Amino acid sequence: MIKLFTIVGARPQFIKAAALSRVIGQEFSEDVKEVILHTGQHYDISLSDVFFSEMQIPEPAHNLDIGSSSHGDQTGMMIQGIEKYILMEKPDGVIVYGDTNSTLAGALAAAKLHIPVIHIEAGLRSFNKSMPEEINRITCDHVSTLLFSPTLTGIENLGKEGITHSGPGPYSFDSQGVFHSGDLMYDNTLFFREQAIQKSSLLSKLELDGKPFILVTVHRPYNTDVRENLRNIVKALNLISSEMNIPVILPLHPRTKEILKRTGDLEGSLFKDPLSHIRLIPAVSFLDMICLEAGASLILTDSGGVQKEAWFMEKPVVILREESEWVEIVEAGNGRLAGADVTRIVNASRDYLENPPQSFPSIFGNGNAAREILKVLTTTQWR
Ligand code: UD1
């Protein structure tokens, strides 16, 4: 029996963990035991609990309740807490997902204890080290034993940093195993899509059933914490919604909401343009998000996960950033980088609404990423 210790903490990790835990339960329960630790990085019900209940993720055995603080504080406290529970649980391997501070803390705590780190969503790079996520990814990949990349670009990026597949194993810190697994988020979209469309009543509540609308998410610090950038994004939304006479739905991450309140922009003139149709709603659950994505004509986002979900739903995406880890989407012409620039956002949105892209080839695997990962974990030597 392999004992896996899974570290989660932030919203996108709950979503990815759901896919792996589901397949462990369905097909690998004889060979794999999973123990989950929640760092508590995300603690709001709308960012955490709702994902566990809706996606039927097993209850975490441990919760560090770390909450929000500076990067050093938050990561440091996580490392301390994770170390304690790794020593107690004595797992064969520690699974970390993506690129958040919870990922970094889990990877460092495990590697220092010489417990193999299994990094899921390895190899992604924005080549912009001012993003905390870029530092987290690079560090985590370099201390991992098994690396699962969702895309071939991820495998190439790892190769350029000297991390290459070291044959059939056994794998170790110094002889890493690099695998192209496909994307767990695609597994989830396929699994939950029908359920979401049947169960979620959000579109009818918003009176948007069958009607065109634009879906927007904004939560990255360089968009939220730089007042000019957030204002520019909202100005662009006002322009595009009034020019094209189309509603814009903006579920607010708590960080974005708090900043808009603090600067007075939530109550100020920014959202009061009489011709615009921006509608602010609270952060939504996974099923509601899938419904919004499936119903939208166009998606604008600075989230990595939402960029991919746009692709899974065959929707064009305007990326509110200057670079993307998902270069395939941009190269295919189905996503356009627009930063926080009013003209670029408006032009890209108009182009996509007038001429939506038609072709979305399969670049994120076949929906079997969880099974591929578990096959490697149960059939190769890495412990
Ligand atoms: C984190 C990840 C980011 C990921 C995002 C998904 C890092 C460095 N960043 O960003 O990669 O895309 O999660 O959502 O790990 N807050 C709440 N309630 C919560 C959690 C946060 O109100 O439950 C607010 C607090 O004001 C907090 C701020 O959001 O200070 C930032 O939270 P934090 O977890 O540090 O980063 P995210 O922006 O959520």
Side-chain angles (χ1 to χ4, degrees):
M1 178 71 95
I2 299 171
K3 184 170 181 183
L4 297 174
F5 194 59
T6 297
I7 312 290
V8 293
R11 179 169 59 178
Q13 287 153 350
F14 310 141
I15 298 172
K16 289 161 202 161
L20 202 80
S21 300
R22 185 170 65 242
V23 177
I24 292 176
Q26 286 169 348
E27 296 175 35
F28 291 84
S29 56
E30 309 258 292
D31 305 311
V32 175
K33 175 176 164 53
E34 184 187 33
V35 177
I36 299 179
L37 177 143
H38 188 331
T39 62
Q41 178 172 351
H42 284 176
Y43 43 87
D44 277 3
I45 292 175
S46 67
L47 289 194
S48 178
D49 301 31
V50 67
F51 291 86
F52 280 85
S53 53
E54 194 174 73
M55 303 181 85
Q56 294 174 5
I57 306 167
E59 185 76 13
H62 311 288
N63 194 325
L64 302 180
D65 284 322
I66 300 284
S68 307
S69 53
S70 71
H71 284 264
D73 245 12
Q74 190 183 51
T75 314
M77 287 190 290
M78 286 179 191
I79 294 175
Q80 279 181 8
I82 294 169
E83 182 180 69
K84 190 175 91 191
Y85 285 112
I86 291 179
L87 289 169
M88 188 179 119
E89 292 284 357
K90 299 185 178 54
D92 294 301
V94 168
I95 296 190
V96 290
Y97 291 101
D99 54 22
T100 73
N101 290 345
S102 299
T103 314
L104 176 67
L108 287 179
K112 295 267 181 168
L113 292 171
H114 302 174
I115 304 292
V117 175
I118 301 155
H119 187 201
I120 299 182
E121 211 172 69
L124 302 179
R125 297 290 181 267
S126 65
F127 303 101
N128 171 3
K129 289 206 190 87
S130 69
M131 288 178 73
E133 290 82 2
E134 186 75 351
I135 295 171
N136 295 346
R137 294 178 190 122
I138 294 173
T139 311
C140 181
D141 282 340
H142 282 261
V143 299
S144 292
T145 292
L146 296 178
L147 298 94
F148 294 96
S149 174
T151 59
L152 288 170
T153 308
I155 304 272
E156 273 170 34
N157 290 340
L158 290 171
K160 286 182 198 150
E161 291 173 24
I163 304 176
T164 49
H165 188 64
S166 56
Y171 304 112
S172 66
F173 282 134
D174 300 313
S175 181
Q176 295 162 296
V178 177
F179 304 89
H180 178 216
S181 58
D183 200 308
L184 286 176
M185 291 186 61
Y186 187 43
D187 295 19
N188 271 337
T189 300
L190 294 180
F191 186 81
F192 285 109
R193 196 187 149 118
E194 283 317 305
Q195 244 190 72
I197 290 168
Q198 275 166 23
K199 277 195 189 163
S200 167
S201 54
L202 186 61
L203 284 185
S204 57
K205 266 193 220 143
L206 295 169
E207 298 181 1
L208 286 173
D209 262 332
K211 296 196 182 130
F213 66 93
I214 299 176
L215 172 66
V216 183
T217 76
V218 187
H219 78 283
R220 296 275 175 200
Y222 42 74
N223 281 332
T224 56
D225 301 8
V226 180
R227 188 174 182 203
E228 206 44 38
N229 287 349
L230 194 52
R231 290 179 71 94
N232 281 344
I233 290 170
V234 179
K235 273 184 211 160
L237 297 177
N238 278 329
L239 282 170
I240 195 76
S241 71
S242 56
E243 181 191 321
M244 308 289 284
N245 195 21
I246 185 168
V248 171
I249 303 300
L250 176 49
L252 278 184
H253 183 290
R255 168 213 279 284
T256 316
K257 187 171 176 191
E258 198 186 299
I259 287 171
L260 282 170
K261 266 193 184 159
R262 206 186 318 135
T263 55
D265 284 332
L266 200 58
E267 288 78 24
S269 58
L270 207 53
F271 291 99
K272 304 279 185 294
D273 182 335
L275 295 175
S276 128
H277 314 274
I278 302 180
R279 291 164 68 178
L280 302 175
I281 61 171
V284 296
S285 73
F286 185 70
L287 294 190
D288 282 345
M289 190 63 183
I290 294 251
C291 269
L292 287 173
E293 290 163 345
S297 309
L298 168 68
I299 298 176
L300 276 69
T301 189
D302 60 9
S303 149
V306 177
Q307 286 173 49
K308 279 186 295 180
E309 283 165 357
W311 180 279
F312 303 154
M313 299 293 178
E314 307 201 342
K315 303 296 160 106
V317 61
V318 176
I319 303 165
L320 304 171
R321 293 178 47 188
E322 293 297 347
E323 71 283 305
S324 171
E325 298 78 29
W326 308 105
V327 283
E328 296 84 353
I329 297 179
V330 179
E331 281 165 6
N334 299 0
R336 206 182 295 170
L337 298 169
D341 182 287
V342 178
T343 312
R344 285 160 71 202
I345 297 171
V346 171
N347 288 346
S349 302
R350 190 190 298 116
D351 287 354
Y352 279 142
L353 286 171
E354 287 171 357
N355 289 306
Q358 302 300 325
S359 160
F360 291 80
S362 155
I363 48 176
F364 293 103
N366 52 12
N368 278 321
R371 195 168 293 117
E372 294 299 320
I373 291 168
L374 285 160
K375 260 198 236 157
V376 171
L377 293 180
T378 51
T379 57
T380 65
Q381 253 191 302
W382 54 273
R383 292 190 271 168

